[in-house]
Amino acid sequence: MADVQVAKKEAAFGFGKKERKLLVDPLNDNNPITVQVLGICSALAVTTLLDKALVMSIAVIFVCAFANLFTSLLRMYIPKQVRMIVQLVIIAFLVTVVELTLKAVDYNIYKELSVFIGLIITNCIIMGRLEAFAMANNPWRSFLDGVGNGIGYGIILIIVAMIREFFGKGSLLGYKILGPSSDFLITIPGYQPNNLMVLFPSAMFVIGVLIWVHRAWNRKLIDIS
Amino acid sequence: MHSTRQTIIFVFIMTAIVALVLSFMSTGLKPVHDKNEAVYNKKAILSAVKDQIGDGFDALTDDQISDIFTKQIEQKVMDMEGGFISKEDVMAAGYKGGMAENLDMAKEKKKPESDRLLPVYIYTADDNKKYYIFNVRGNGLWDEIWGNIAFESDLNTIAGVSFDHKAETPGLGAEIKDNKDWAGQFIGKKIYADDGMYKSVGVIKGGAKDPVHEVDGISGATITADGVAEMMKRGLKYYEPFIKMSKKG
Amino acid sequence: MGELVNIFIKSAFIENLALAYFLGMCSYLAVSKSVKTAFGLGLAVIFVLGITMPINWVINTALLSENGLFGMDLTFLRLILFIAVIASMVQLVEMVIEKVSPSLYNSLGIFLPLITVNCAILGGSLFMVSKEYNFGESVAFGLGGGFGWFLAIVAIAAIREKIRYSAVPGPLRGLGMAFILTGLMGMAFMSLMGIDPAAF
């Protein structure tokens, strides 16, 4: 779990070094997926195709940012005994808003994502940020922290989805790029996309290798236990 | 520390606000949701005759889909004996709207075979040719699969198919929906042999041998492909009373 | 009865929540460092899934559906009610266990709050809705799904205990390896795909 950072009395809407750190940190040193290992479930299920991953990322950024904002606004008033349930209701509320909106805007994607939109609720990144950050910081910073973590999560999701869609189906966002027949951009006769890449286990391999690469490059993250 | 009373008040106010906002949103967006759902269904039915509609099928807007559906599709609901059912009876069976497109085929599949209702869609193309679209439903690897099969007016030759699924594996079982080349194989296949025996269309792993009654399987998705063959064999048989009656005249 | 056994077996092995749908991965990866703790969490998950699934089924059919108590379509409240039921059930279970068996509470207690945000629980309830199970089936699905998850976490914990003594490349140590192992286990479970328990 991430460290709890306590905000000092500063301008409520400033954008200095600290605010920048809130946005940038989750992209690398404190990435929700490869470092904190939160929110894996949805990362695995929706990364078979890039368009699903994009929609999911946007949804998570939205929910994470606003759940942080609302929790932070209410943090003085939330009774300690029911803290968990209150946080969950805030998240579930936002997720329902996302679900209703998506159902109205793009019914096809809504059908494809099905239960996984609902599962944003149990995306531990959001719960984790509420507990570790929003309960102790001012609304503006909490909002930035939510956006940062949402983006950090989204980036990994998009990388994984790109790898899986490209190698698994030879396409990106549905545009055919590499394949055996002439309707692909690059044609290699006899080329077969690797079906394993669109199956669940490959998500595990891809994320495992991503963690490997990330930690080999950023060696301070190596697990020494 | 908060007292129990404060806690209760807080929870109560929050629940009220959340429920209010959500019900407001849900009611406000319901017409859009219903329309999206209706268009989604219509598009699924029409995609069985998408070659007949023309090249631009995938680019059609929602309004165009609804428009084609109202103007060129005649829809009927049938019982298992092949008799047509009136709109009122369909509504009595629990479907508001009473049209074939309102039928919930997942619900019908759970009923005993003899009680089921079947939709029949008759598409009249721009050149006045008629196509009959039948609905079939079965089981894939993970969950249900279903499809709309369009027939030429001889009610024997397949003019087009569109399959869909609830939860098949993307890239494997889901190819029944995504792989247009695979679905294209069905076009021109016949469900009756020359002597009039019902044969349906088989999906054969390793390559079709019979050019009239078989298509190739999907590599890595044998169970889903077998499911397609099974649902077509069983599902199209349900329409036999209708086919026989139509042929008689 | 046979139907229920089928659903149990299917949800435990063939459609394993952890290894086929990859649900509940956060706690699966975080708490699978030793077999003992994994065992405790696994038991708690079986328990909570087994309780929340039927309750959510009742809520969904009796309150939220169009034919329910209020006579209107309230499905937009589904997510909130489901998660509220899960959170309060977890809290209730925690309190009951604390009163009845303090020793069990000590070994299980720390994992219970974690379960609320275990997507296997909410995922199970949402799958139950989308599969349109009836009451009995939802109980079987809950217990079977929980049992499958239990098996998966105990298995990975056992492997991780052993692998601690292997020469894994530094950056891959710990989590990276856990991911790849889970992928391999998932592949193994894929070989069960499509088996129809009714055929036996």
Side-chain angles (χ1 to χ4, degrees), chain C residues 142-187:
Chain C
L143 291 174
F147 183 67
W149 203 88
F150 166 83
L151 275 186
I153 192 168
V154 172
I156 185 96
I159 299 176
R160 283 182 80 174
E161 273 191 2
K162 295 271 176 229
I163 215 156
R164 201 171 303 147
Y165 305 105
S166 311
V168 175
L172 200 56
R173 210 164 283 160
L175 276 172
M177 206 56 211
F179 270 96
I180 289 175
L181 283 174
T182 316
L184 289 172
M185 283 170 70
M187 274 175 83

Side-chain angles (χ1 to χ4, degrees), chain A residues 33-35 37-41 44-45 81 84-85 88-89 92-93 95-96 99-100 115-116 118-119 121-122 124 127 196 199-201 203-205 207-209 211-212 215-216 219 222-223 225, chain C residues 19-26 29 33 76-77 79-80 83-84 87-88 91 113 116-119 122-123 126-127 130 164 169-176 178-180 182-184 186-187 190:
Chain A
I33 293 186
T34 60
V35 181
V37 205
L38 297 173
I40 304 298
C41 323
L44 297 161
Q81 305 93 308
M84 264 281 277
I85 295 187
L88 281 170
V89 169
F93 164 71
V95 171
T96 314
E99 194 178 11
L100 289 171
V115 296
F116 292 101
L119 288 181
I121 294 177
T122 48
C124 345
M127 199 66 190
L196 180 65
L199 294 174
F200 285 121
M204 280 290 178
F205 299 140
I207 296 179
V209 172
I211 292 179
W212 189 358
R215 291 188 181 183
R219 296 196 79 90
I222 291 177
D223 191 350
S225 64
Chain C
L19 294 174
Y21 290 111
F22 291 111
L23 290 177
M25 278 295 133
C26 309
L29 290 165
K33 282 186 184 147
F76 60 90
L77 291 175
L79 289 176
I80 290 186
I83 198 69
S88 40
Q91 215 142 54
T116 314
V117 284
N118 184 331
C119 19
L122 183 66
L126 292 174
F127 273 124
S130 89
R164 201 171 303 147
L172 200 56
R173 210 164 283 160
L175 276 172
F179 270 96
I180 289 175
T182 316
L184 289 172
M187 274 175 83
M190 265 170 62

Side-chain angles (χ1 to χ4, degrees), chain A residues 71 74-91 127-128 130-132 134-136, chain B residues 1-2 7 10-11 14, chain C residues 87 91 113 116:
Chain A
T71 311
L74 291 172
R75 70 186 190 279
M76 306 298 181
Y77 311 101
I78 296 177
K80 286 280 169 295
Q81 305 93 308
V82 291
R83 196 179 71 230
M84 264 281 277
I85 295 187
V86 169
Q87 291 169 351
L88 281 170
V89 169
I90 293 176
I91 300 173
M127 199 66 190
L130 294 191
E131 205 40 38
M135 290 301 281
Chain B
M1 206 58 196
H2 295 268
T7 306
F10 181 88
V11 170
M14 193 172 84
Chain C
Q91 215 142 54
T116 314

Side-chain angles (χ1 to χ4, degrees), chain C residues 65-140:
Chain C
S65 82
E66 227 163 314
N67 313 319
L69 207 57
F70 299 108
M72 49 183 164
D73 186 20
L74 293 174
T75 40
F76 60 90
L77 291 175
R78 186 189 285 150
L79 289 176
I80 290 186
L81 280 178
F82 277 13
I83 198 69
V85 164
I86 291 169
S88 40
M89 273 306 122
V90 168
Q91 215 142 54
L92 197 75
V93 167
E94 199 178 347
M95 278 166 5
V96 169
I97 293 182
E98 195 181 4
K99 281 257 156 50
V100 176
S101 161
S103 63
L104 183 65
Y105 178 77
N106 284 337
S107 58
L108 214 66
I110 41 165
F111 303 120
L112 281 166
L114 257 181
I115 293 179
T116 314
V117 284
N118 184 331
C119 19
I121 313 281
L122 183 66
S125 284
L126 292 174
F127 273 124
M128 166 198 80
V129 172
S130 89
K131 287 181 190 237
E132 295 169 14
Y133 281 142
N134 63 31
F135 185 77
E137 287 168 344
S138 70
V139 176

Side-chain angles (χ1 to χ4, degrees), chain B residues 75-145:
Chain B
Q75 45 179 326
K76 289 180 169 142
V77 181
M78 206 177 72
D79 61 18
M80 293 298 278
E81 272 90 53
F84 291 122
I85 301 205
S86 71
K87 197 174 171 181
E88 287 71 30
D89 287 346
V90 178
M91 283 160 96
Y95 300 109
K96 281 182 217 161
M99 305 297 276
E101 59 171 313
N102 303 123
L103 291 182
D104 180 350
M105 295 312 291
K107 231 189 240 169
E108 292 300 315
K109 187 165 164 265
K110 289 198 168 170
K111 289 187 190 170
E113 264 187 12
S114 56
D115 296 348
R116 291 184 197 168
L117 298 176
L118 298 168
V120 177
Y121 304 95
I122 304 164
Y123 171 76
T124 312
D126 294 332
D127 54 5
N128 273 329
K129 266 194 188 160
K130 282 195 189 307
Y131 297 92
Y132 294 81
I133 304 171
F134 298 152
N135 185 285
V136 292
R137 203 173 181 93
N139 293 312
L141 172 58
W142 294 101
D143 211 320
E144 293 194 324
I145 52 178

